[in-house]
Amino acid sequence: MNQEQLLQLCEVAHNAPSADNSQSWRFIISSNKITITYDTHRVLNKTFAADNIATLLSMGSAIEAIVQTCIEHNISYTLDTTLKLSNNFTSYACFSFDQEVSEKFTLKKDSFLQHRHTNRFAYKTQQAEKNIIDALIATLNASSTTISWFDDKTSINEISSLIQSASEIRFQTPEVHEWLMQSLRFGKRERHEDGLHVSTLDLPPLGSMFMKFIAPWQRTQTLNKLGMYKIMAAIEAKPIAKAPGLMAFSCDNTPEAQLQTGRDLFALWLQLNNAGLAVHPYFVITDQITRLHSNAVPSRLVAQATTLEEQTRKIFNLKEGGNLCMLLRVGYPQKQAVRSKRLNVMDVVTIKD
Ligand SMILES: Cc1cc2nc3c(=O)[nH]c(=O)nc-3n(C[C@H](O)[C@H](O)[C@H](O)COP(=O)(O)O)c2cc1C
């Protein structure tokens, strides 16, 4: 493989989903290898840590994006997913490629891999056919990830209440508020950017002005005293209550299993989009439970977070040591999503040779 081909593979991986579009990866290209690492210098303390479930899901997605491209283009590789999680160097995977790979390989412009995306807008009420969903889930049946599908009103309402409770905690937590606010992008869209542009969100009229207004934590704190967090959480949970279907991903509480779930998440998301179904991820429940375990939930909200965890375990039927990793709202879209941009690929690649 030449450097240009390796760069093209990095570009595909760079299009993987990441929490708040933080793109916390750095791809190191060296002698026919791509190593996927955490970009400590760029993202530390601005988004999830290197060993957080959110990061492992994103990195797993980036790995799977390369795997799927190699399958599509018949490229042989060896993949080492030995996790190295240390303070000064974290790596999630290393791909080694054959020197002999055809010089002719260039990434297909119309590859189905480029169709995966988040759609936060409203969905039609029409439900996805259960046999389509079952067939897609069945393609991953050898994996350590458990995938569950909910399309009955009772479960959907119960899960919507969980989202509402988790969001109430989130909107009262200064650190999470600051991460979200620093990731929001207003104004003209840049060709290359990270973060969440407000046009990709389903905000009501004047919503983006309001988000700008509440960006300083002190303002949010004052408005929270008047109950703003409850309104924000109800708005967040509403699309879930109206969802035609929900897909939950859970796995053992180990970084290896969570990385694998990231791979499965990407693979299924791709298939769902390919079947014409829109996907909207919700990480808020997992985030609040993870924060509870690392004592990061404000003390006055610990009781609410504990109840959230108990109910989550019950509703998702989690076994001992199992974790909910991600929830997807799934349905046929009413309108096309506005796609998130990416940083320039050279901002996330280091070439070592
Ligand atoms: C671990 C993880 C957590 C995410 N959590 C949320 C979420 O809670 N709400 C949301 O709207 N999008 C969420 N997303 C979607 C990302 O914001 C999205 O993937 C990113 O902005 C890039 O956009 P794209 O998926 O359209 O390429 C999450 C994605 C990942 C990988």
Side-chain angles (χ1 to χ4, degrees):
M1 285 265 238
N2 61 36
Q3 217 171 71
E4 202 180 313
Q5 292 167 326
L6 293 170
L7 255 177
Q8 283 187 354
L9 287 177
C10 294
E11 199 147 10
V12 176
H14 187 36
N15 263 314
S18 60
D20 298 331
N21 200 22
S22 53
Q23 304 162 44
S24 44
W25 37 65
R26 173 151 293 273
F27 305 101
I28 300 177
I29 296 181
S30 68
S31 55
N32 257 350
K33 287 192 167 78
I34 297 175
T35 309
I36 304 182
T37 70
Y38 184 75
D39 198 341
T40 309
H41 182 66
R42 180 166 50 86
V43 300
L44 191 67
N45 298 327
K46 291 188 190 151
T47 185
F48 294 96
D51 60 352
N52 188 284
I53 302 181
T55 307
L56 290 157
L57 294 179
S58 308
M59 299 299 177
S61 294
I63 295 171
E64 189 62 20
I66 297 184
V67 167
Q68 298 267 348
T69 310
C70 290
I71 295 170
E72 195 188 10
H73 291 83
N74 236 338
I75 301 169
S76 55
Y77 62 90
T78 335
L79 172 58
D80 178 1
T81 48
T82 315
L83 264 175
K84 292 190 192 87
L85 289 169
S86 78
N87 281 344
N88 46 13
F89 183 71
T90 299
S91 86
Y92 303 90
C94 179
F95 286 88
S96 309
F97 299 95
D98 201 332
Q99 289 283 6
E100 303 296 306
V101 170
S102 156
E103 285 294 308
K104 279 182 258 149
F105 156 74
T106 41
L107 207 68
K108 290 183 192 159
K109 283 271 175 285
D110 58 346
S111 166
F112 76 112
L113 281 152
Q114 279 146 27
H115 298 169
R116 186 218 54 82
H117 62 277
T118 299
N119 189 333
R120 302 188 179 88
F121 299 118
Y123 298 169
K124 294 178 183 162
T125 48
Q126 178 195 353
Q127 292 190 314
E129 278 180 48
K130 181 86 167 60
N131 59 351
I132 297 184
I133 298 293
D134 285 345
L136 294 182
I137 294 177
T139 58
L140 302 177
N141 68 359
S143 162
S144 50
T145 309
T146 304
I147 298 159
S148 325
W149 176 249
F150 302 89
D151 58 7
D152 63 289
K153 208 60 213 150
T154 312
S155 305
I156 288 176
N157 283 339
E158 281 175 350
I159 296 170
S160 169
S161 302
L162 292 182
I163 293 280
Q164 187 158 345
S165 176
S167 298
E168 283 185 10
I169 302 169
R170 164 209 177 141
F171 288 120
Q172 296 177 85
T173 306
E175 186 190 21
V176 185
H177 175 85
E178 267 146 30
W179 280 2
L180 175 68
M181 291 304 161
Q182 65 84 30
S183 80
L184 286 184
R185 303 283 176 264
F186 300 89
K188 197 172 154 285
R189 293 190 86 192
E190 303 294 332
R191 200 156 93 82
H192 295 293
E193 64 185 13
D194 59 359
L196 297 173
H197 194 274
V198 284
S199 61
T200 67
L201 311 175
D202 190 19
L203 294 175
L206 303 179
S208 85
M209 265 171 69
F210 181 71
M211 296 302 272
K212 233 181 202 172
F213 177 76
I214 62 164
W217 170 246
Q218 263 130 353
R219 234 176 242 171
T220 289
Q221 209 177 15
T222 309
L223 289 171
N224 275 350
K225 289 190 183 126
L226 303 171
M228 182 183 73
Y229 67 94
K230 279 193 181 286
I231 300 167
M232 300 282 280
I235 293 173
E236 178 102 340
K238 202 165 162 204
I240 290 280
K242 291 170 118 185
L246 297 173
M247 188 176 277
F249 289 71
S250 53
C251 71
D252 283 350
N253 190 16
T254 65
E256 288 77 13
Q258 289 157 359
L259 194 69
Q260 177 59 46
T261 299
R263 293 185 57 177
D264 297 333
L265 170 71
F266 182 89
L268 255 183
W269 190 337
L270 205 58
Q271 300 291 345
L272 289 164
N273 282 173
N274 238 20
L277 286 156
V279 168
H280 179 180
Y282 282 74
F283 186 67
V284 66
I285 300 174
T286 308
D287 188 22
Q288 294 315 321
I289 295 174
T290 310
R291 295 177 68 80
L292 176 69
H293 288 204
S294 53
N295 298 321
V297 170
S299 51
R300 68 200 166 79
L301 301 170
V302 164
Q304 186 172 353
T306 307
T307 309
L308 172 73
E309 181 176 22
E310 284 163 9
Q311 289 173 346
T312 300
R313 302 204 74 78
K314 207 166 115 211
I315 292 172
F316 294 100
N317 198 15
L318 297 175
K319 57 181 169 56
E320 185 72 30
N323 264 0
L324 172 72
C325 292
M326 181 59 97
L327 189 67
L328 301 182
R329 176 167 71 100
V330 177
Y332 292 100
Q334 275 187 24
K335 65 175 191 179
Q336 268 196 343
V338 177
R339 303 277 286 265
S340 281
K341 308 263 179 176
R342 294 294 184 274
L343 295 169
N344 188 313
V345 73
M346 292 319 291
D347 294 333
V348 296
V349 169
T350 302
I351 299 176
K352 282 227 159 145
D353 288 341

